[in-house]
Amino acid sequence: MPDGARKKLAALNNRHVEDIIAEYTALCRPDKITLVTDDPEERARIRQIALEKGEEKALSVAGHTVHYDGFFDQGRDKACTKVLVPEGQSLSPRINTLDRKTGLAELHQLMNGIMRGKEMFVRFFCLGPGGSAFAIPAMQITDSAYVAHSEDLLYRSGYAEFHKLQGSDHFFHFIHSAGALDEDGVARNVAQRRVYIDLVANRVFTINNQYAGNSVGLKKLALRLAINQANQSDWLAEHMFLMGVHPVAKERTTYFAGAFPSACGKTSTAMIPGQTIIGDDIAYLKAWSDGTCHAVNIESGIFGIISDVNPIDDPLIYKCLTTPRELIFSNVLVNDGRPYWLGMGMPTPARGTNHSGAWFEGKKDDEGKLIPLAHKNARYTMRLSELENLDPQAENPDGVPISAIIYGGRDSDTNPPIVQAFGWEHGVFIGATLESETTAATLGQEGQRTFAPMANLDFIVVPLGLYLANHFKFGKRLNKPPLVFGTNYFLKDEHGRFLNEKTDKKAWILWAEARVHGEYGAVATPIGWIPRYADLQTLFDTTLHKPYSRTDYARQFEIRLDRLLEKLARIEKMYAAESAPPTLGEQIAAQRSRLLQWRADFGRERLNPLEIEQAVAE
Ligand code: SPV
Ligand code: MN
């Protein structure tokens, strides 16, 4: 280790940090170690190294670079991601586990000398605003300058937080190696990709990959460690955006948190025009001393999906993607120094470079499938502070008070666009029974309906029953729990056409905001409260400036008793394999009996909301 690095390390006066660095230096055997503090010059140097090593390449707009992940490393790898469990311990059947001793031994072998010929970067970050009740310091060791650079855009620098630890081991740590690289700086050994989560030591190992969802420790790897901690105490670590909702012509901000599976509208909800964003991916929630729920964004940047970002649907992000600032594109097409992606709303070139190397229109992969010009899960990485619509409270160490929580899935045939839970416990039920169709954000087939509790299943590392029990208890700690809503932006008609336009989500969110303030009535249905037609008509007029027909309402908010009962049966089967808390069973039973009651009362499977008599003005 160079003298400078040694001094910076000694200044932390933390034996645990020193031991970890020593252990992985000895195992991985890098040629060089670079330790980065909060100094802006040191941080900027990492970006420079990513360019020098070829992991990123400069584009024509100042500050923009492009990075490529391997052709088979374009999404989160669920199969190779495992929780290491001590002998005799079991989690849920849906959580991928591996015996801890076996896993550590395998890693030891695979990581032996893995950084030979490479530079090891040691970085210090803080999850959440420094010094806040939410903050968790985190150390990243990686041999990828791209990973270290991405984290600089996505997280708060935390060398100072490590000072404050005064030698304690209350921090997370992550050890990443991209493994051998090819001549383009792309990880070569993705077949030996491993992402192993070691809850015992609050650490995650991830090797032979570069895609940020697999490699960036502070993102989904830290979320898993945080879920474990949250469930051992009394808070929540969730896959949630945070946003300020601003009703038209009213001087108030109402804070919402929302959980959606990957690539199901989480960022675009937080970016709805006229609203303010705090975060788009991961939040910590705590019961505050005044009995409200407070939340912070533990990140400070966006790793967003670039597909379909265009000047019409996402004007603010589009502007960031086309004007100078520090920003990394990944897995887009580049032609003549300019990036192109799917759905960007302009003509695209017929050739260039993309995640498959040199690309031309009509190029096929080894299986004979056409390679699109950019990957569907291509991304951009930038700081949230670049956004004009960043909420002024984004850095508040106390977080923001949360008035509403939304759970949304990609569901083509069951749930209406928005429904309000009857209360906290029914809200937990809505989250716990979320289903969603798979997307390109994870490797494997798209469009498969899967069980997606709280949009967090991929990251849950404790028994599911325990995780849900913690949610039920959380509400009990609050004087005024947030209202809970279920949304579905993806409902389709019998011909497979979407029943909504993308921008309609603004009306649903503003309806929910008004409900927080008791401003609209609602229609009671077996699955919760749905909006009244007249209120939506007003909202479409005042916020989207377009008409909203009774026919649209009738089709979107039709109560599909048959589908809802089928879903309940699937869910019940799922939970039969878990030790779910009794409250969940009660909620399932209550929902079923309400659905069956309606079927008996109305004698039909599908109900037109306009005909429903129970319109209740609250
Ligand atoms: C997601 O897939 O949920 C993301 C991107 O937010 S990542 O987790 O980094 O893959
Ligand atoms: Mn996510």
Side-chain angles (χ1 to χ4, degrees), residues 420-435:
Q420 181 192 336
F422 293 125
W424 179 259
E425 291 182 354
H426 186 230
V428 174
F429 161 86
I430 288 182
T433 57
L434 200 67
E435 291 183 313

Side-chain angles (χ1 to χ4, degrees), residues 127-145:
L127 295 160
S132 81
F134 298 89
I136 300 180
M139 173 166 70
Q140 172 81 60
I141 293 178
T142 177
D143 60 11
S144 163

Side-chain angles (χ1 to χ4, degrees), residues 69 127 134 169 188 283 349 356 361 421 427 462 554 615:
D69 299 306
L127 295 160
F134 298 89
D169 64 350
R188 210 191 265 276
S356 74
E361 212 161 67
V462 296

Side-chain angles (χ1 to χ4, degrees), residues 76 211-213 219-220 239 262 281 303 379 441 459:
R76 274 187 289 109
Y211 171 68
K219 206 167 193 37
K220 295 311 197 308
H239 191 206
S262 309
D281 201 31
F303 176 58
R379 303 246 171 182
F459 317 112

Side-chain angles (χ1 to χ4, degrees), residues 281-329:
D281 201 31
I282 304 168
Y284 294 171
L285 284 68
K286 289 197 180 216
W288 216 241
S289 50
D290 62 358
T292 61
C293 163
H294 274 227
V296 296
N297 176 17
I298 57 96
E299 308 187 287
S300 59
I302 301 191
F303 176 58
I305 294 179
I306 202 166
S307 295
D308 295 329
V309 173
N310 58 60
I312 309 294
D313 294 326
D314 294 285
L316 294 177
I317 290 182
Y318 189 82
K319 189 172 159 196
C320 290
L321 300 180
T322 47
T323 49
R325 73 200 65 248
E326 190 174 348
L327 190 145
I328 310 171
F329 291 87

Side-chain angles (χ1 to χ4, degrees), residues 188-208:
R188 210 191 265 276
N189 293 336
V190 290
Q192 288 181 329
R193 188 165 38 203
R194 301 285 184 274
V195 184
Y196 287 177
I197 299 138
D198 184 17
L199 303 177
V200 173
N202 270 320
R203 64 182 170 183
V204 182
F205 301 91
T206 176
I207 55 170
N208 295 319

